[in-house]
Amino acid sequence: MTSLANLLDFDLDGLAAFCDQLEEKRFRAVQLFRWIHQRGESDFSRMSDLAKSLREKLVNVACVQALPVLAQRESADGTIKWLFDVGGGNAVEAVFIPEDGRGTLCVSSQAGCAVGCRFCSTGRQGFSRNLRTSEIVAQLWFAEHFLRQHLHRDERVISNVVMMGMGEPLQNYSMLVPALRSFLDDHGYGLSRRRVTVSTSGVVPMIDRLAADCPVALAVSLHAPNDALRDELVPLNRKYPIAEVLDTCLRYLRRAPRDFITFEYCMLDGVNDQDEHARELVQLMRSHAGQGIPCKFNLIPFNPFMASGLTCSSAARVQAFARILSDAGIVTTVRKTRGDDIDAACGQLAGNVRDRTRAAQRMAQWRGVEHTAQHARRTIAVSHAGAITGTPSVAQEH
């Protein structure tokens, strides 16, 4: 028996092609797209302005299949986290963050993550698989229409989508782009390109492709001012070092909906949060490629999790770090911690996982270097980077 096509897999052009196979005109695809995304309807029989003949065809060949909700938790601050079942023993999470004048949904793109950033709990569970377009879109589809009922609102609730949930979005590029197009389409959710953000650890070739295919706001997980430290915190840096990432950011700006790149920086006590790190960032942003990088920094308080071997920088240290960047003319914000009472805060989207990367040992070693040899930081950093060259990556260990 042929399986039914999940219409959440299609952007509008894809749905038009599907309808063409049913010998239906494009305007029927537009009607169908509106019913699905704007009205949240999954029952073809209720799509009253579709021709009865089309509704009868759709019942036999298609469906609008949401993700089963395994759990829902609501924080005291209004943040809501959903755990969705994606089959095969895998689950992904989405988080709604309400703020004055806007509502943001944090969306996952993969079950697990292969990048293995040392401060992110998702990376510690390893990588299971890429999500389908329908599984990415279904997070917004469910959240938007649930929230309208939950909050007793007729108008749109979610104004911003950030691809900052589980996974590296640009390592699931072919499934990501149709989802982004559905988010942006005026017949779908009608979100502004400025209000849809893809966050990446720095997959250089795919940043260039995104600029050509579907330029939205871009956030880059930087987390360190030099390659030696970033190699340790973000293993992908060994393939795409900082200079290459910044080069592609400059190229991206030619097509981006915003005139700056957002850099995310997780504040880790004694690891990347010292004044000299901030000053090194200022120099990097001012001088790269002889022209500098128009940018904004988002400082993220680290959310500790079991076996990370890391602790959060103090509030005073975060503010001192932010002040150095701000005094240098770099727009800098400190991310508010939201939903931490339900493990929905940044970096907490995987729960308790086993430390399979010896992160605690390696971070302790790095801290020892930091505290005992600050006067020779650059030389020691290079030496330390050489010492870990043979250390297996997360992907190798899996």
Side-chain angles (χ1 to χ4, degrees), residues 184-195:
L184 299 171
D185 200 294
D186 287 340
H187 298 296
Y189 302 92
L191 299 177
S192 163
R193 290 182 184 273
R194 296 168 59 88
R195 292 178 176 267

Side-chain angles (χ1 to χ4, degrees), residues 7-215:
L7 300 187
L8 294 179
D9 270 321
F10 300 128
D11 59 16
L12 183 53
D13 286 343
L15 188 58
F18 180 79
C19 286
D20 184 63
Q21 294 176 354
L22 301 179
E23 299 182 338
E24 298 287 345
K25 296 185 182 298
R26 184 181 176 89
F27 82 91
R28 292 298 188 195
V30 172
Q31 289 177 311
L32 183 54
F33 201 75
R34 287 174 176 170
W35 273 106
I36 294 168
H37 298 289
Q38 292 185 353
R39 302 192 190 189
E41 187 55 72
S42 59
D43 185 342
F44 299 128
S45 68
R46 295 177 184 170
M47 300 181 182
S48 55
D49 62 353
L50 292 184
K52 183 179 179 181
S53 59
L54 174 55
R55 282 180 276 161
E56 291 173 347
K57 290 178 187 176
L58 289 171
V59 168
N60 294 316
V61 298
C63 64
V64 179
Q65 183 64 55
L67 293 173
V69 178
L70 295 175
Q72 174 180 309
R73 299 181 68 189
E74 188 162 358
S75 169
D77 63 20
T79 299
I80 301 176
K81 179 177 77 169
W82 295 280
L83 182 68
F84 293 107
D85 184 358
V86 294
N90 295 309
V92 298
E93 296 180 356
V95 179
F96 172 67
I97 306 164
E99 297 177 276
D100 291 340
R102 69 178 181 181
T104 300
L105 186 70
C106 181
V107 173
S108 295
S109 57
Q110 296 177 313
C113 184
V115 175
C117 297
R118 303 305 181 201
F119 46 83
C120 180
S121 63
T122 300
R124 300 307 164 87
Q125 71 179 0
F127 174 73
S128 294
R129 68 172 179 86
N130 287 325
L131 299 187
R132 293 179 57 86
T133 295
S134 57
E135 294 169 326
I136 298 172
V137 173
Q139 296 170 63
L140 175 58
W141 185 86
F142 173 85
E144 174 64 34
H145 299 292
F146 167 84
L147 289 167
R148 289 184 193 180
Q149 293 186 3
H150 184 63
L151 302 175
H152 308 291
R153 288 172 57 177
D154 294 326
E155 71 277 10
R156 183 172 67 193
V157 177
I158 295 169
S159 60
N160 296 60
V161 169
V162 292
M163 300 300 306
M164 297 181 183
M166 297 171 68
E168 163 55 65
L170 296 186
Q171 289 185 339
N172 188 17
Y173 189 82
S174 64
M175 297 294 145
L176 171 71
V177 170
L180 295 178
R181 288 173 174 156
S182 292
F183 298 165
L184 299 171
D185 200 294
D186 287 340
H187 298 296
Y189 302 92
L191 299 177
S192 163
R193 290 182 184 273
R194 296 168 59 88
R195 292 178 176 267
V196 175
T197 301
V198 169
S199 175
T200 178
S201 52
V203 188
V204 167
M206 309 319 290
I207 295 174
D208 286 327
R209 283 190 60 183
L210 187 65
D213 294 340
C214 190

Side-chain angles (χ1 to χ4, degrees), residues 205-241:
M206 309 319 290
I207 295 174
D208 286 327
R209 283 190 60 183
L210 187 65
D213 294 340
C214 190
V216 293
L218 183 70
V220 174
S221 296
L222 189 61
H223 308 302
N226 59 65
D227 284 326
L229 179 53
R230 195 167 190 263
D231 282 352
E232 183 70 17
L233 296 176
V234 185
L236 189 66
N237 194 72
R238 300 169 196 170
K239 185 172 184 179
Y240 303 117

